Amino acid sequence: MRQYNPVTPEVVTALQAVVGEKYVKTDAETLDKYKLDENLDPTFWRLPEVVVSAGSTEEVAKIMQIANQYGVPVTPRSAGTSVSCGAIPTYHGIVLLLERMNRILEINEEGMYMVVEAGVRTIDIQNLAHEKGLMYAGDPCSSDSCLIGGNLATNAGGNKAVRYGTTRHQVYSVEVVLPNGKVTTLGATLKKCSTGFCLDQLIIGSEGTLGIITKATLKLVPLAPYKLDVLAVFTDLAKATALVPKLVKAGLNPTSVEFMDNNFVRSASDYSDLKLPHYEDGCYDIVSIETFNEDELDDKMEKLSAICEECGATDVLEADDRVWQVRRNCLESTRSLSEVQTSEDLVVPVTKIADCIQALVKESKQYDFRVFCLAHAGDGNLHFQILRCDMSDAEWERQLEGFRHTAYRYVYDLGGRLSGEHGIGMKRVCYMEEYTDPVELELMKTIKGAMDPNWVLNPGKVFHPAE
């Protein structure tokens, strides 16, 4: 395990000189607050030694210079909504908060872009775009609480990724503080560019290991005037999952295709205090269609209804806000059911999503824990929420490892990967090193070492730091 220097009073004084005493915290209550993210497994929690809140790019740069000078690790943190331990200070040191940097600097309606700081809530970006008749297409389920900086760092996916792509597809440029404290802007407000390496896309999705994004220029798209959400209810898991490939082949170009198994239907409905159709036995497919022409919407809805019925849907209904409320509350709803749980974030080719869900649900029945399944089915991204039941720590770890070994190998055999949108973080480091091609992994480590020779920026995420 790599060794870092502790945060000394000298380091605290240097940080206070940059941001002011008010924004440097070392009290036990604050440190305890930032030892975790949304992951509920306490084996990953780590206490920081100091929590610093930066108010500008210049302050972030100076903090990184201090970190290199004193050999202290820095963990950048947005809203802490990660479920992969991406914002947990693996090697203690400094937790660097970006939530004070929360200004929307510009919205350009003609150019269809918005300039924002890293600490802006995603939902505030979405709402402002809507007011102008535009849309920011990034739409993670935690949009009401997550910050855009964290979305960029993890290349967040979400409900609209099947049509519009993930967060990296919504960005023109990013302002970045590099691990050595230097500041640069990568990318530009251009439709095309072949000028050197595509460094903005290297930083986006690097989980805060290659640079700290402090500002971004986001792409906006026209807001489609016609939209309809459909809830297709199935009482057969195989039939529910078989719908997705058929939708893709039909050329409907849906905005969203979301899947919920019955475990999630019941838990999220209870949590939301709502009772939806087939609460007791239904699996849900939620499909959104958007168009700029009313006749086109009518045509696509006819095709969608026919496909759902062909696949054996029990009911095909219009999905109102209650359905989306239940969908967005899925992960949160399980917290009252088990204090210890973990979330898997697997991704496979879209044509394999049905096979994968069915195979892994069947595999999960061999274990004593509870498994809930939902998916951004239209882009092949599925989540298994695994809840610990009445078992010892050792038995929980043994059974969890057994399921993961089977699941990961199966997913990779299908051409899939460990993470579709949550990132590797600290949680999946050992699996990243086990399942990634050694040449590819070595290339990633070479890039990290070149950009961050002291390995002070978010060490212990994606892969283990060099000794």
Side-chain angles (χ1 to χ4, degrees), residues 15-216:
L15 294 171
Q16 291 172 337
V18 172
V19 301
E21 292 186 22
K22 177 181 178 181
Y23 297 112
V24 179
K25 305 291 186 181
T26 57
D27 61 284
E29 183 179 355
T30 299
L31 299 185
D32 190 66
K33 177 181 178 181
Y34 292 104
K35 71 182 179 183
L36 72 162
D37 56 12
E38 290 295 322
N39 186 280
L40 297 183
D41 187 344
T43 60
F44 289 105
W45 298 349
R46 304 286 189 277
L47 275 175
E49 296 165 81
V50 61
V51 175
V52 183
S53 183
S56 67
T57 299
E58 292 71 26
E59 289 181 358
V60 174
K62 290 177 180 177
I63 291 167
M64 289 310 305
Q65 291 166 10
I66 292 170
N68 279 280
Q69 177 184 350
Y70 290 97
V72 176
V74 175
T75 302
R77 182 183 177 105
S78 288
T81 57
S82 168
V83 293
S84 298
C85 308
I88 290 177
T90 309
Y91 293 87
H92 311 291
I94 300 168
V95 163
L96 173 57
L97 305 181
L98 300 169
E99 55 196 20
R100 287 177 58 209
M101 300 174 62
N102 58 3
R103 296 179 299 163
I104 296 178
L105 302 172
E106 179 186 359
I107 180 166
N108 189 307
E109 297 176 57
E110 182 179 356
M112 293 197 298
Y113 66 81
M114 189 185 302
V115 183
V116 301
E117 292 183 321
V120 178
R121 285 196 310 162
T122 307
I123 196 169
D124 293 333
I125 295 170
Q126 294 171 331
N127 288 342
L128 180 57
H130 275 226
E131 290 175 13
K132 305 298 183 180
L134 300 168
M135 181 175 71
Y136 172 67
D139 190 29
C141 286
S142 57
S143 60
D144 60 344
S145 57
C146 64
L147 306 182
I148 191 64
N151 294 175
L152 293 162
T154 58
N155 185 32
N159 298 326
K160 294 184 175 70
V162 61
R163 179 169 182 174
Y164 295 102
T166 57
T167 297
R168 68 167 69 254
H169 301 107
Q170 323 305 329
V171 183
Y172 277 122
S173 66
V174 289
E175 179 184 80
V176 182
V177 176
L178 299 176
N180 59 11
K182 292 183 179 181
V183 180
T184 187
T185 297
L186 304 174
T189 312
L190 302 169
K191 286 290 186 181
K192 59 190 295 187
C193 181
S194 295
T195 308
F197 298 159
C198 193
L199 297 176
D200 53 322
Q201 294 298 319
L202 177 64
I203 296 294
I204 297 169
S206 65
E207 302 187 42
T209 63
L210 301 181
I212 301 173
I213 297 171
T214 53
K215 185 165 60 179

Side-chain angles (χ1 to χ4, degrees), residues 235-417:
T235 54
D236 184 302
L237 176 68
K239 292 178 180 179
T241 56
L243 174 67
V244 178
K246 292 184 182 295
L247 291 179
V248 174
K249 291 180 181 178
L252 294 176
N253 192 22
T255 300
S256 304
V257 183
E258 299 292 301
F259 166 80
M260 299 167 55
D261 75 355
N262 185 250
N263 283 336
F264 266 127
V265 169
R266 286 184 283 112
S267 69
S269 295
D270 291 344
Y271 180 85
S272 306
D273 196 23
L274 293 168
K275 188 64 68 73
L276 297 179
H278 288 274
Y279 166 90
E280 297 83 3
D281 60 356
C283 298
Y284 287 180
D285 285 323
I286 312 168
V287 184
S288 297
I289 301 288
E290 296 177 338
T291 70
F292 289 86
N293 179 285
E294 190 172 9
D295 290 338
E296 181 187 0
L297 181 65
D298 291 340
D299 180 61
K300 287 188 172 182
M301 292 313 303
E302 287 182 13
K303 290 181 179 178
L304 174 58
S305 296
I307 293 171
C308 291
E309 291 173 4
E310 178 187 330
C311 288
T314 302
D315 282 307
V316 181
L317 312 165
E318 184 174 349
D320 56 21
D321 290 341
R322 296 176 305 155
V323 174
W324 282 111
Q325 181 180 346
V326 167
R327 169 61 185 89
R328 290 184 182 277
N329 284 337
C330 276
L331 295 183
E332 191 67 28
S333 72
T334 63
R335 295 184 183 279
S336 62
L337 303 178
S338 175
E339 293 183 357
V340 178
Q341 54 184 272
T342 187
S343 179
E344 297 298 329
D345 174 41
L346 306 169
V347 61
V348 297
V350 175
T351 55
K352 303 294 185 182
I353 186 80
D355 292 341
C356 190
I357 291 175
Q358 293 172 43
L360 296 187
V361 167
K362 181 179 179 181
E363 170 67 20
S364 71
K365 297 184 184 303
Q366 300 183 38
Y367 301 90
D368 297 324
F369 44 63
R370 296 183 67 188
V371 172
F372 293 56
C373 180
L374 60 85
H376 304 298
D379 54 32
N381 186 193
L382 58 149
H383 301 306
F384 284 95
Q385 196 75 0
I386 306 174
L387 280 60
R388 175 173 163 175
C389 298
D390 186 17
M391 62 179 78
S392 67
D393 291 347
E395 185 62 16
W396 161 248
E397 292 297 335
R398 187 189 71 80
Q399 293 199 26
L400 192 60
E401 183 63 24
F403 176 73
R404 283 174 169 165
H405 177 77
T406 301
Y408 294 169
R409 178 48 54 204
Y410 178 74
V411 163
Y412 271 76
D413 286 344
L414 292 179
R417 293 293 184 270

Side-chain angles (χ1 to χ4, degrees), residues 423-435:
I424 300 303
M426 177 170 61
K427 177 179 168 183
R428 299 184 179 89
V429 166
C430 60
Y431 302 110
M432 179 73 173
E433 300 199 341
E434 178 180 355
Y435 289 94

